[in-house]
Amino acid sequence: MSVAQGGYWKKILEINLSAGKISTLVPEEALYSDYLGGSGIAAKLLYDLTDEKTDPLGEENPLIYMTGPFTGTRVPTSGRHQITAKSPLTGIFGEGDAGGAWGAMLKKAGWDGIIITGKAQSPVYIVIENEHVRIEDAQKLWGRSTFDTEDAIRELHGKKTEVSCIGPAGERLTPVASIAQGGEDARMVGRCGLGAVMGSKKLKAIAVIGDKNVPIADPERFDRQQKAILPQIVENTKAMNLLGTAGGTVGAEKSGDLPIQNWRRGGWSEVEQIGGQRMADTILKKNYYCSSCPIGCGRHVEITEGAYAQVCGAGPEYETLGMMGGACLVSDLNAITYAADLCNRAGLDTIEAGSAIAMIMECYEQDLISLEELDGIDASWGSATALVELTRKLCDGEGVGKLLGLGVRGIAQKLGKGSEEYAIHVKGLALPAHDPRCFNSMAVGYATSNRGACHLQGASYFFEKTATMPELGYTQPQAKHEEKGKGKLNFHAQNIMAILDSLKMCKFALYGGVHLKEMREWIASVIGREISQEELLAIGERIYNLKRMYNVRCGITAKDDTLPERILKTPRKDEGTGEYLPSLHNMLKEYYQERGWDSNSIPSKETLLRLGLAQTELIP
């Protein structure tokens, strides 16, 4: 049996729901040293356990929960965990992560992660109380909302229990279903349809309670680091504490970053009605802090009167405001908040929901879908009623809601009639609320993200706003329309984000002034591993290439590294953006060269050998 070291317990829980078998996996040391934790270890496990033939909703597709070495410690913003599986929405590599306290509690229970395979004969949930693990009947929980499920489980197992669960959308195997943590605080693993994977296993929830202290290799050194960096992070993220991610909504519209009318426009005069300041002035009640986080960007809101009076919990984040607000031209903050709350309860990705509704609104405008097909809902631009009623249909899985639940690519495939033009996605994943015609590095980032269009797998736009990384030469924000160097920027940014996702730190730590130096210092004090900058960056590069090879195995090539025609060929002529269109081809060429990938965007044999990915099955 391997012995725990700083940051790790060196054991992963294995649960086969078909056999009802519970066991412990003790991984080889190389899994931790080569992949760190979180996203990296989960990617390696998924690569080894599945292939291109694996059915995302089949028993053989594992649902992998992973923490990182920092999870459960006081490293700032480390209250996160990872969930990974082959995506039923995209058919390729799928992952998401969430904050809250669930990951920290799993770590305190003495586990680095969980691998769940098989399928229960009837609904079940898993209870983890330190080393004691059991599978319980969940028939009485099946069909209940994520909020109600957490309340019921806490009533049974105690108020300190942390719950990860699906809502009715995941039970119905809706392709855009999410996995919820934190009840009404709604810390969501939203992307890639992983809630459907959980539902396919008849697994309603995982309840965790633990009381162990996560081991720290050098507590005194760790404490010194905390005292030095915490005041800086708090000071640098004051605006995010005050207004949350919603505070960026008005500025995003002014710069041309906000998606407006399904990505057709860049300017919208009503944006201030849904911004963070409006939220603070009307429905905000208090901040929400994830475990070990000094920033507190979460919003707890309440609507106590009017048609949307049921809301009491998580307020909409920037992405939700962008997709349900700007993309749909809906300027009613309460309606957006209510629609998001419906999604949180049902267990649905609000980015996919807002994208699908914006697409349907445009299809309705273009007479590609009838009022009858919309169940009598007048899906006109800017209609708060349409937003709420279409969201309700999606959450209930009824009528047009079944179509919406397919995601924008699925809607286009089902609807046809030229609707593909209005399906704004990459590799089946809808674009989040950042426009590459504003921050042009996002063109490369979206095109090459391993899970499809994603602003966080590279987050290169951070470095076109305020973030810096002096160790790599980024001492000031990069010009947002300068194309030279943006391939290289994505190479660096994606590797850095792979590191953060594996250590399990929030990307917002970068805004707080956390750099590679601080990451290396925490690795030394928490894990007890002195690591050079070059070695750390190589780990990030290894993780990113492994995920890419997973997708290569699924048939992904350069032809898939592209953007919707609307983004590449439709100038918006609005303030902040003008007529600029990103030259994706030129930036991708630079990116492939930096990555050591060939012209078909497949990692070369030399690149794989250099990164220690020389297994026969990885060599193209």
Side-chain angles (χ1 to χ4, degrees):
M1 176 73 74
S2 180
V3 179
Q5 72 177 73
Y8 304 111
W9 296 113
K10 296 297 185 69
K11 60 179 185 176
I12 297 172
L13 183 62
E14 291 186 301
I15 301 176
N16 185 317
L17 292 175
S18 296
K21 181 181 178 182
I22 300 170
S23 58
T24 299
L25 170 67
V26 180
E28 295 182 0
E29 175 61 34
L31 188 65
Y32 291 92
S33 61
D34 292 351
Y35 296 98
L36 287 179
S39 180
I41 288 181
K44 182 64 167 67
L45 293 171
L46 186 69
Y47 191 96
D48 291 345
L49 292 170
T50 63
D51 58 29
E52 69 278 9
K53 298 178 182 178
T54 301
D55 178 0
L57 297 178
E59 294 183 23
E60 67 277 16
N61 188 23
L63 187 68
I64 303 168
Y65 281 73
M66 280 301 304
T67 65
F70 293 173
T71 311
T73 74
R74 290 183 290 110
V75 171
T77 78
S78 63
R80 307 192 71 80
H81 64 279
Q82 195 85 14
I83 306 180
T84 302
K86 190 175 185 181
S87 168
L89 177 65
T90 65
I92 57 175
F93 183 83
E95 68 177 346
D97 79 334
W102 190 93
M105 188 62 81
L106 179 67
K107 199 72 171 291
K108 291 176 182 178
W111 302 96
D112 293 330
I114 314 170
I115 305 171
I116 303 160
T117 56
K119 177 182 178 180
Q121 292 185 350
S122 60
V124 298
Y125 72 103
I126 296 166
V127 180
I128 302 170
E129 295 178 300
N130 292 327
E131 67 273 14
H132 304 293
V133 183
R134 61 188 185 274
I135 302 170
E136 298 277 7
D137 179 77
Q139 302 238 31
K140 292 183 179 179
L141 298 174
W142 206 250
R144 300 179 73 167
S145 75
T146 61
F147 293 10
D148 290 345
T149 297
E150 167 149 319
D151 289 344
I153 289 176
R154 283 188 163 184
E155 191 171 321
L156 287 169
H157 300 286
K159 292 182 179 180
K160 293 184 178 180
T161 306
E162 292 295 332
V163 179
S164 176
C165 67
I166 56 172
E171 296 171 8
R172 289 193 300 270
L173 313 187
T174 305
V176 298
S178 59
I179 300 175
Q181 288 73 210
E184 67 179 20
D185 292 315
R187 301 297 97 183
M188 310 297 288
V189 175
R191 313 238 63 195
C192 300
L194 301 184
V197 177
M198 194 165 176
S200 73
K201 299 183 179 304
K202 292 289 184 182
L203 177 60
K204 180 64 175 178
I206 306 176
V208 185
I209 186 166
D211 57 11
K212 301 177 185 294
N213 293 319
V214 178
I216 302 291
D218 189 338
E220 291 185 5
R221 183 177 180 180
F222 179 74
D223 287 342
R224 289 197 301 270
Q225 293 163 352
Q226 294 299 96
K227 291 177 182 178
I229 193 69
L230 275 174
Q232 173 189 309
I233 294 175
V234 171
E235 178 64 27
N236 290 349
T237 58
K238 278 184 176 180
M240 194 165 286
N241 174 272
L242 183 65
L243 298 178
T245 61
T249 308
V250 174
E253 186 272 340
K254 289 181 179 178
S255 68
D257 190 34
L258 190 72
I260 299 169
Q261 200 173 25
N262 200 26
W263 305 88
R264 274 159 54 175
R265 294 164 47 190
W268 186 39
S269 62
E270 298 177 58
V271 65
E272 291 189 3
Q273 297 183 42
I274 66 167
Q277 189 62 57
R278 176 69 175 225
M279 187 185 300
D281 292 340
T282 56
I283 59 176
L284 179 66
K285 294 301 176 183
K286 59 183 179 180
N287 288 29
Y288 173 82
Y289 289 79
C290 295
S291 179
S292 299
C293 183
I295 300 174
C297 70
R299 309 288 91 182
H300 184 97
V301 303
E302 290 183 21
I303 301 176
T304 57
E305 56 186 24
Y308 310 123
Q310 82 165 52
V311 178
C312 179
E317 302 284 350
Y318 166 80
E319 303 298 330
T320 303
L321 294 167
M323 302 318 303
M324 288 188 161
C328 298
L329 295 184
V330 173
S331 58
D332 186 330
L333 177 60
N334 283 10
I336 295 169
T337 303
Y338 182 82
D341 184 76
L342 290 175
C343 288
N344 291 339
R345 292 170 184 269
L348 284 163
D349 179 6
T350 57
I351 294 177
E352 292 288 346
S355 300
I357 292 170
M359 178 183 176
I360 287 296
M361 286 180 168
E362 187 158 11
C363 288
Y364 182 60
E365 177 190 44
Q366 299 298 325
D367 294 325
L368 301 184
I369 191 167
S370 68
L371 193 62
E372 182 180 0
E373 291 172 302
L374 290 170
D375 302 323
I377 298 170
D378 179 0
S380 296
W381 292 113
S383 171
T385 299
L387 172 69
V388 169
E389 292 308 313
L390 288 170
T391 301
R392 198 188 306 278
K393 288 284 185 180
L394 170 59
C395 293
D396 292 341
E398 298 177 350
V400 70
K402 294 179 181 178
L403 179 66
L404 291 164
L406 298 176
V408 294
R409 182 172 68 177
I411 292 172
Q413 291 170 343
K414 188 83 171 179
L415 196 59
K417 308 176 189 176
S419 59
E420 296 85 358
E421 178 184 350
Y422 313 130
I424 311 301
H425 71 91
V426 174
K427 300 181 179 74
L429 196 70
L431 264 66
H434 297 281
D435 199 312
R437 293 166 292 187
C438 175
F439 297 112
N440 69 2
S441 71
M442 296 305 293
V444 180
Y446 286 158
T448 61
S449 167
N450 286 306
R451 66 176 185 175
C454 175
H455 62 301
L456 292 175
Q457 288 212 328
S460 58
Y461 75 104
F462 281 25
F463 300 97
E464 292 169 309
K465 294 176 74 176
T466 61
T468 61
M469 191 61 67
E471 298 99 324
L472 298 177
Y474 302 113
T475 57
Q476 59 186 10
Q478 305 300 293
K480 65 181 184 178
H481 287 168
E482 173 62 45
E483 295 181 346
K484 186 178 180 180
K486 293 301 174 67
K488 185 175 184 178
L489 173 60
N490 271 278
F491 166 74
H492 284 142
Q494 289 169 346
N495 295 341
I496 292 167
M497 301 311 152
I499 293 165
L500 288 172
D501 282 338
S502 299
L503 295 172
K504 291 322 306 168
M505 288 184 67
C506 179
K507 312 296 171 53
F508 293 157
L510 296 177
Y511 286 137
V514 171
H515 299 129
L516 289 169
K517 175 185 176 183
E518 285 73 28
M519 297 178 210
R520 292 170 54 219
E521 274 289 305
W522 281 319
I523 289 171
S525 64
V526 173
I527 303 175
R529 175 184 179 184
E530 298 290 345
I531 187 169
S532 69
Q533 178 175 302
E534 291 72 23
E535 184 183 358
L536 183 59
L537 289 171
I539 291 173
E541 189 179 358
R542 178 181 302 118
I543 292 166
Y544 207 84
N545 276 270
L546 178 66
K547 295 176 185 178
R548 182 65 182 195
M549 288 308 301
Y550 186 94
N551 285 343
V552 168
R553 193 164 62 178
C554 292
I556 295 297
T557 64
K559 71 180 187 308
D560 304 294
D561 293 348
T562 189
L563 297 175
E565 289 288 294
R566 177 162 288 176
I567 304 298
L568 291 176
K569 296 185 178 181
T570 307
R572 296 174 299 168
K573 303 179 182 180
D574 289 296
E575 181 182 355
T577 300
E579 298 188 16
Y580 175 77
L581 295 173
S583 180
L584 179 61
H585 174 77
N586 292 336
M587 290 189 287
L588 275 179
K589 185 177 180 180
E590 178 186 278
Y591 173 83
Y592 292 156
Q593 290 174 344
E594 289 290 336
R595 276 268 173 235
W597 295 359
D598 65 23
S599 60
N600 207 22
S601 76
I602 297 175
S604 69
K605 182 176 181 179
E606 291 74 20
T607 295
L608 296 175
L609 289 170
R610 176 175 58 82
L611 295 172
L613 298 173
Q615 300 96 320
T616 302
E617 67 271 22
L618 286 179
I619 301 296

